[in-house]
Amino acid sequence: MEKKIRVGVAGYGVIGQRLADGVALQGDMELVGVADVMPTLSVRALKEKGMPYRLFAASVEGKAALEGAGIPISGMLEDLVQQVDIMLDATSAGIGAKNKLLYEKYGKHAIFQGGEKNDVANVFFHGYANFEKGLGVDFLKLTSCNTTGLIRAVDCIDRAVGVEKVAITIIRRVADPGDYHRGLTNALQIDKAPSHQALDLMTIMPHVEATGILIHTPVTHGHIITVVLTPKQDISVKDALEIFEKHPRIRVVSIGEGFLGNASLFRYARDLGNPRGDMYEIAVWSDSVVKSGRDLMFAINIPQESVVIPENIDAIRSSMKMQLTRETGTAETNKYLRIGTWKKTV
């Protein structure tokens, strides 16, 4: 039996706790432990669940705070790093860059999240769009939640018929559920164009011309992105839907089924019994796929708390050369996370 890849998670917050759960499901990986700096609600919940994952303190001050809250720890972040093959860094923006010095000290691979600056890593990574570019690379950086879902949809069409350009409008949730730092709002706020998601897409898919606008909205359960896409080969709405249907990480839904918006998808995930109401797939509304000349327009839902988890697992597989192609790497991730299995039951 091949040795499992040993994985650690730095930062046990919105993304970190989901990364830990995702790694724990992988049959060819071992979750060594997680690290955090304070007894946050996520960490307190970890204790109440019986400490299914070993917890390491990310700082001396954090160690005192965690112990003061009666939360058992297994050592310091530096101890965790020494015990793993690769780290998933899900800390706050800027902290990952500091942690990189520790990873370099012990010669460990690491995956960083979308909030870090691009220069923290050797490759800006997406599991479906450029899996092979990450092979054996020490440091990879993931795209943001919106960019991750957007690239899934654009790459899906691009591999089928080619894509010349895209124009996007992102209707962005203002904060995660349970957050208060953005305040209580009753307004929409527009960002200066072009949005970073369009620029990031071009970084990973340089052959596609992209631009976009982002609008903050006073909601918490998911983003919605409208996409106007110019394919290189003229295709029908039916063709586009068939292409989307074949992608394991894309759900095709409709208003007629009751999927009226982002909240409907969040509720559906909870009704499925998914932990925390998470959904790994993006959704494409079939009702939204229309044509204007050769251009296709469609709308997708981005479950911001969980959508990047599969691509993080892909990144481990690529960086550690567990699989050598996008097809085999993403298929293994999908298998252990049970992504796409629902397509066989509908």
Side-chain angles (χ1 to χ4, degrees):
M1 182 178 178
E2 292 187 7
K3 181 181 177 182
K4 293 184 177 182
I5 295 297
R6 298 167 301 169
V7 184
V9 176
Y12 193 70
V14 172
I15 299 298
Q17 59 185 305
R18 290 168 170 83
L19 290 176
D21 291 349
V23 170
L25 291 171
Q26 306 300 304
D28 49 4
M29 299 179 191
E30 174 193 351
L31 179 66
V32 177
V34 301
D36 211 307
V37 71
M38 293 295 290
T40 61
L41 291 181
S42 298
V43 171
R44 291 177 186 275
L46 183 68
K47 179 193 175 185
E48 188 168 331
K49 288 189 291 186
M51 298 301 293
Y53 309 138
R54 297 166 67 205
L55 178 67
F56 294 76
S59 69
V60 175
E61 296 80 8
K63 179 176 183 292
L66 290 164
E67 289 178 335
I71 297 171
I73 62 172
S74 298
M76 302 299 292
L77 172 61
E78 189 162 358
D79 300 317
L80 173 61
V81 172
Q82 293 177 73
Q83 297 175 36
V84 304
D85 300 306
I86 187 168
M87 288 292 300
L88 292 176
D89 195 296
T91 55
S92 301
I95 303 300
K98 296 178 181 178
N99 288 343
K100 181 181 177 181
L101 299 176
L102 188 60
Y103 308 148
E104 289 177 320
K105 176 181 176 180
Y106 291 104
K108 306 297 183 178
H109 291 228
I111 312 299
F112 300 94
Q113 304 309 303
E116 292 294 329
K117 293 183 178 179
N118 290 354
D119 60 8
V120 75
N122 307 110
V123 172
F124 201 11
F125 181 86
H126 188 281
Y128 277 86
N130 66 349
F131 184 93
E132 288 81 4
K133 284 191 175 181
L135 290 173
V137 175
D138 291 343
F139 302 114
L140 303 180
K141 176 186 176 294
L142 272 292
T143 54
S144 69
C145 54
N146 272 315
T147 311
T148 298
L150 174 64
I151 290 179
R152 279 187 203 169
V154 175
D155 177 74
C156 179
I157 298 292
D158 187 45
R159 290 183 183 275
V161 297
V163 172
E164 291 181 7
K165 61 182 179 179
V166 296
I168 63 174
T169 300
I170 300 174
I171 305 148
R172 183 185 189 276
R173 67 94 181 93
V174 72
D176 286 326
D179 282 352
Y180 292 89
H181 66 283
R182 297 291 178 91
L184 305 178
T185 60
N186 184 31
L188 302 179
Q189 180 180 340
I190 189 167
D191 274 4
K192 183 178 179 180
S195 68
H196 82 78
Q197 291 85 358
L199 301 178
D200 290 347
L201 183 146
M202 288 191 290
T203 301
I204 288 181
M205 304 178 68
H207 58 287
V208 176
E209 181 183 345
T211 191
I213 294 171
L214 185 147
I215 302 168
H216 299 272
T217 58
V219 298
T220 61
H221 295 308
H223 315 286
I224 290 177
I225 305 178
T226 64
V227 182
V228 179
L229 179 152
T230 306
K232 290 184 178 179
Q233 176 185 327
D234 192 18
I235 59 173
S236 67
V237 168
K238 180 181 178 182
D239 293 333
L241 287 171
E242 288 177 351
I243 293 169
F244 288 137
E245 288 275 13
K246 292 177 182 177
H247 198 295
R249 296 182 192 173
I250 296 177
R251 287 177 176 262
V252 176
V253 301
S254 71
I255 295 171
E257 294 169 328
F259 293 102
L260 306 183
N262 59 333
S264 303
L265 284 150
F266 182 76
R267 175 181 174 180
Y268 192 66
R270 288 189 299 177
D271 290 344
L272 287 172
N274 294 353
R276 307 182 185 91
D278 287 348
M279 186 173 283
Y280 293 131
E281 306 93 346
I282 64 169
V284 173
W285 275 276
S286 60
D287 321 72
S288 73
V289 185
V290 292
K291 290 192 67 177
S292 176
R294 200 166 51 126
D295 291 348
L296 279 170
M297 184 175 186
F298 55 90
I300 59 178
N301 182 75
I302 308 291
Q304 82 278 358
E305 296 176 298
S306 52
V307 70
V308 300
I309 306 307
E311 276 74 8
N312 269 271
I313 305 298
D314 296 339
I316 296 173
R317 298 186 178 282
S318 181
S319 179
M320 301 306 299
K321 300 179 77 171
M322 299 175 70
Q323 288 81 37
L324 302 181
T325 66
R326 65 184 290 274
E327 293 84 1
T328 55
T330 57
E332 283 298 291
T333 298
N334 293 344
K335 178 180 73 175
Y336 289 118
L337 295 181
R338 296 186 56 78
I339 294 173
T341 56
W342 68 276
K343 291 177 183 284
K344 301 174 183 177
T345 64
V346 296

